[in-house]
Each structure stands twice: as C-alpha cells, then as structure tokens.
Amino acid sequence: MKAVKIIDGLYWVGAVDYDVRLFHGFHLTTPRGTTYNAYLIIDDRIALVDTVYGPFAGEMIEKIREVIDPKKIDYVIANHVETDHSGAIKDILKYCPRAKVFCTQRGQEGLFKHYFENWNFQTVKTGETLSLGKKTLQFFEAPYLHWPDSMFTYIQEDAVLLPNDAFGQHYGTSERFDDEVPEYVLMSEAQKYYANILTPFSVLVAKKLQEIKEMNLPIKIIAPSHGIIWRKNPQKIITAYQQWANGQNDGSVLVIYDSMWKSTESIARQILEGILSENIPVKLIRSAVTDRCEVVKDILTARALVIGSSTVNRGVLPSVSSILDELEGLRFRNKVGTAFGSYGWSGEGPGLIAERMKKAGLEIIAEPLKIKWVPDEPELKASYQFGQKIGQLLKK
Amino acid sequence: MDKYKCTVCGYVYDPEKGDPENNISPKTSFEQLPADWVCPECGAPKDMFEKM
C-alpha cells in the first residue's frame, strides 16, 4: 500500500497488519487484523504524528519517502508511549536525529523507560501549540485515555483531530476512510475496541468529550491510530462514545454460561425462554466457545447479565471465571444481573458469581438460582419463571 | 481515618498525607474532601473511589 493523501498537507503513512489475530501479546482478538496509523504533515516545517509498531518501521519509512525525504522531518509527535505507536521512533530518528520529540511529561518518562534513549524531547501541556507555518498543531493531554501519557493532537486550520487510540478500531483493510467500508463492521469493531480497552476509563471519556464540546472545536476529520479514518461523519463516533461512556444500553439481556453435562445448559435455555416470553431482547452465549472479547463487546450495550456455571471444585468453570475477571477489571456502568447453575454437592457456583458481579459494580436484582444435579420438570419450570421474573423486573 | 482507592487508576487517597498539591492539608478525611475534588492522578471524580 502507498501513502494516502487525506487532505492537502496531511498523509497517512502507517502500516496495515493484515495478519495479526491476537493483540497485546495474546490478550485481545483481532479477527480483521489492524492498522498502525502514522500521519505526516507537510508545511514549512514537517511533522510526523505517531509511528507504527517496530516490525513495520520499514513500511512506514517507505511511505514517508514517497512524500518527502525522511531527513526533512523536524518534529515527531508521540501522542502515546505504547509500542504499537512508538515502536518506530528510533528508526525514523536515524534519518532525522535532531528532530524534536513532542509528548507529555509522562510520555517522556514512558518513552525513556521503553527505549532508554535521551531523544530531543519537548514536553507539552494542554492548550500548547506548535506552528508548522500555515498549519498549527494544538495539544490536549488525555490522561488515562487510555494510558497516563496519552494525548491528542489537533490541526487547527484543518479541524483534524489526531486522538491516537481514542476512536480507533482493529480493522485492517486497504480502505482508509469511513465512507469506503460497511458501516456496521466499522461500528462493531469500534464498539469492541471501546468495550475491551476504554470501558474502565468511561468516566474520563465522558469528561473529555464534554471538555471538547465546551471548547467548540470544529472537527471535520478524526484520524485515530488504529483502523479507519472518520471523515464522512466524525460526529457518529463521538455520539457513540458519549453513549458508551455514559453506560447507555439497548435494554437487552445476555445469558452467559458454561456447563459440564448439560444441566446448567438446560437451565440457561429455560431462562432464555422465560426472558423472551416477556418480549425482552436476549442473547444466549456459551462462554467456553465464544470469543471473550466479543462477549465483552456485547456486554457494553446490554442492560442485564444472567451468568451461570456448573459448580466445579467449589468454584466456577474457567471460561465463566474469565468473564467475571473482565467484569471486575472493566467495571461497566449501569448494569444489573443475577446468577444460576447446577451443582452436585457443595454448590458454591451461583453465589460466587453473584458476589463477583456485585464486586464489579453490578446490581443483583434476583436471588441466584441453584439446582442440584439434573433439573426435573418442576425445576425446569422454576428456571423458566426465573427468566420471566428477570424480564418483568427489567420492565419496571 | 480510612484510605480510599480510585477505581479508575488505582491512586490511593491517604488522609494522613492529604493532597497538598491541591490544597488538601494532611489529616483531612476522605469525607471532608470537597465535592469537586478529583483524583490527582487521573482526574476521576470523588464517587469513583472505594473505601479500602
């Protein structure tokens, strides 16, 4: 792929990672691959905003070369320390060793602690600007969106926001813009990205969006550091972020479970039918065979979670436990739920699930349902009624 | 006096130390902090803190 002109004087010079299927080591799934977006700004002085993951440094430099000689770069703007964006700074600085590296104070500390090099750093704070000639860059610190060092860069004259990981998606395609790809895929990947990465910082996302709104900054283009650039309708992703950050939901229920010998499964299916009978949208998810990151994506916009597991070794099945780990770490806002499961003797499962859901900030709206061995007819009926009751409680 | 932890970034408010950089003197309990006090580390509001 070649460098892509976004507007006059602004080029995408990043890299498409078509092959990556697991990200952050083995943490997140990226079935559509991803991109590392670096942006080159050509003016009287030349700035490179962010770089790419180290193994893609050559691709980035090749693209820069299509536009200018990399030796001419005056400034490297490092919006974020994480190695998928800073990994090629050392490679580009070989061409332009005197270029100034702009970042936040924490960015400087973090970059040093990643690469152990004393580059020509200049730290910036919110509101500070850098004139390139005709274009002016303005910086906004964005601590914890999603690392302490994160910042946004804004091109004033062009109303282009370069917010690094915010508004990004792991979507590795040859297309670069929102008007070139199917919107449902784009929004689904953006939601998955938000859910898995930004959820813990939702309260700060909401504050930052408010801050930007109050500044009345015109925003014509949002060019994040992963995936597709928003140029057709940047407000679409801003509105979505507002909704996700505020914990808005679609009223749906997720029944998430795993089962050993089908007892917990048959309870789950009765709960599903009971909830459906109240005309509440509901999805059944078997955690052991479902991509955990996709479940997290669905949780972001659900109203209620009904989580079930067989009791095993006085605890729950590992795939259910990993969903509970995610809930405790991500701390979704405005969720309710309860738990269920079959057991043979000790029967701690449902109680433990409810306890951990509570710890994760969910409100438990019904006493967990626990059934010994294989559910009989009355117990199946009770499971159905449990679902009905959940549906009724959600209507209140 | 109880310590409180920020659920966003993990910063711990220690009432013994207060938050002098933001004019909160030592020995100020979490409850006594003004309503508009925010986490000095990440900027999260007071209601994002949990008692330790």
Side-chain angles (χ1 to χ4, degrees), chain A residues 26-44:
Chain A
F26 298 90
H27 175 208
L28 300 174
T29 58
T30 49
R32 293 187 170 91
T34 193
T35 73
Y36 312 106
N37 297 338
Y39 298 100
L40 186 66
I41 308 174
I42 306 292
D43 201 341
D44 298 342

Side-chain angles (χ1 to χ4, degrees), chain A residues 34-74:
Chain A
T34 193
T35 73
Y36 312 106
N37 297 338
Y39 298 100
L40 186 66
I41 308 174
I42 306 292
D43 201 341
D44 298 342
R45 285 167 295 281
I46 291 168
L48 177 67
V49 180
D50 293 317
T51 67
V52 296
Y53 184 35
F56 293 84
E59 283 190 34
M60 178 189 77
I61 290 164
E62 232 173 83
K63 289 190 188 77
I64 293 173
R65 215 188 284 282
E66 289 167 24
V67 185
I68 49 130
D69 182 344
K71 287 183 189 140
K72 292 188 177 164
I73 293 173
D74 298 289

Side-chain angles (χ1 to χ4, degrees), chain A residues 379-394:
Chain A
E379 284 166 333
L380 287 173
K381 198 172 171 201
S383 304
Y384 181 88
Q385 286 164 345
F386 183 70
Q388 266 185 322
K389 184 176 146 195
I390 291 163
Q392 287 158 8
L393 285 168
L394 292 177

Side-chain angles (χ1 to χ4, degrees), chain A residues 161-182:
Chain A
L161 184 66
L162 305 165
N164 195 267
D165 278 339
F167 309 115
Q169 340 85 40
H170 288 306
Y171 191 5
T173 71
S174 308
E175 290 79 23
R176 291 277 59 80
F177 299 101
D178 54 352
D179 46 281
E180 299 173 332
V181 296

